[in-house]
Amino acid sequence: EPEVTQTPSHQVTQMGQEVILRCVPISNHLYFYWYRQILGQKVEFLVSFYNNEISEKSEIFDDQFSVERPDGSNFTLKIRSTKLEDSAMYFCASRININQPQHFGDGTRLSIL
Amino acid sequence: AQSVTQLGSHVSVSEGALVLLRCNYSSSVPPYLFWYVQYPNQGLQLLLKYTTGATLVKGINGFEAEFKKSETSFHLTKPSAHMSDAAEYFCAVSEPAGNKLTFGGGTRVLVKP
């Protein structure tokens, strides 16, 4: 069964540095998402992406964050000037259309030191 | 705004016993409802979903859930727990054909032999 693939599985970064989290959605999917889960807290929606643009974003997704689909297969989340509170598990998800459920990757654990 | 409450962050059941995980939601419109499971070091896997139609929904691994509009609930059950059911379970809600998922806090299930 096709899967959403996320790399790396664990990223350790110094505070203030930029980090890029990578996702390869399922190949025929058209809607893409990023969520995050801070340890001990709920899974939170960050951003959705459709037709090469952001379709919705949460209050968390401020100017520090950006997303890109650079080559038709990858979907990336960039976090600039990382802060300690950015430490979390970041999940990528995709779906084929708005009526189908989202499929999630295994996540990237981001640790900011 | 939508919200999801899962009663009990941890549930312990004996192998062969009934598994009951509670989920209540708040939504201004009839929602779409989902249960996801997360095994250790893995992503979120869809167990089942309710969109429209029959209110009793069957999912994978012997799980089922019933949508009760009057109680704003979508509780997950399995008649007989198996050791492999040990995982964390997340209830989530979206607007009909909506974009983002709103998650509950999760319930971690421990299965005792």
Side-chain angles (χ1 to χ4, degrees):
Chain A
E1 185 175 332
E3 294 181 342
V4 175
T5 305
Q6 290 187 242
T7 55
S9 57
H10 192 187
Q11 174 79 46
V12 181
T13 300
Q14 292 290 326
M15 185 172 59
Q17 297 296 306
E18 175 182 286
V19 65
I20 297 175
L21 309 183
R22 303 183 189 279
C23 171
V24 178
I26 296 173
S27 63
N28 62 341
H29 285 194
L30 301 176
Y31 294 78
F32 313 111
Y33 304 83
W34 284 102
Y35 292 81
R36 78 173 184 188
Q37 185 181 27
I38 295 172
L39 189 63
Q41 298 185 23
K42 293 184 177 184
V43 177
E44 303 172 287
F45 167 76
L46 291 179
V47 66
S48 60
F49 192 87
Y50 170 72
N51 200 25
N52 287 318
E53 62 183 18
I54 291 174
S55 52
E56 187 174 356
K57 60 183 181 179
S58 71
E59 292 178 352
I60 303 168
F61 194 89
D62 59 20
D63 292 342
Q64 184 193 6
F65 295 88
S66 62
V67 289
E68 193 177 35
R69 188 157 163 80
D71 56 13
S73 63
N74 291 282
F75 180 52
T76 62
L77 174 68
K78 181 187 290 185
I79 309 174
R80 291 178 283 274
S81 300
T82 50
K83 299 174 281 194
L84 295 176
E85 52 264 40
D86 295 326
S87 295
M89 180 73 87
Y90 289 80
F91 291 105
C92 174
S94 70
R95 60 175 165 177
I96 191 167
N97 63 48
I98 205 74
N99 291 306
Q100 295 300 316
Q102 297 178 28
H103 295 258
F104 285 78
D106 286 348
T108 293
R109 181 168 299 283
L110 177 64
S111 299
I112 306 300
L113 304 180
Chain B
Q2 296 179 313
S3 66
V4 180
T5 302
Q6 291 183 239
L7 187 62
S9 59
H10 291 79
V11 167
S12 181
V13 298
S14 298
E15 193 174 18
L18 171 71
V19 179
L20 170 61
L21 305 183
R22 299 180 186 274
C23 172
N24 288 89
Y25 67 89
S26 171
S27 178
S28 58
V29 297
Y32 285 5
L33 295 156
F34 307 84
W35 276 98
Y36 284 86
V37 60
Q38 184 180 30
Y39 299 102
N41 300 313
Q42 295 187 25
L44 300 166
Q45 179 183 1
L46 181 70
L47 271 180
L48 49 78
K49 67 181 189 294
Y50 169 80
T51 54
T52 58
T55 56
L56 182 61
V57 180
K58 295 188 185 298
I60 62 171
N61 301 339
F63 284 93
E64 63 181 35
E66 186 172 10
F67 169 57
K68 291 188 176 180
K69 183 178 178 182
S70 62
E71 298 178 7
T72 60
S73 69
F74 191 56
H75 302 330
L76 181 71
T77 59
K78 181 174 180 177
S80 177
H82 191 272
M83 296 300 291
S84 61
D85 295 327
E88 188 157 19
Y89 293 79
F90 294 91
C91 182
V93 63
S94 77
E95 293 184 354
N99 197 20
K100 66 183 181 184
L101 291 170
T102 299
F103 284 87
T107 298
R108 189 172 298 277
V109 172
L110 172 67
V111 182
K112 298 177 293 185

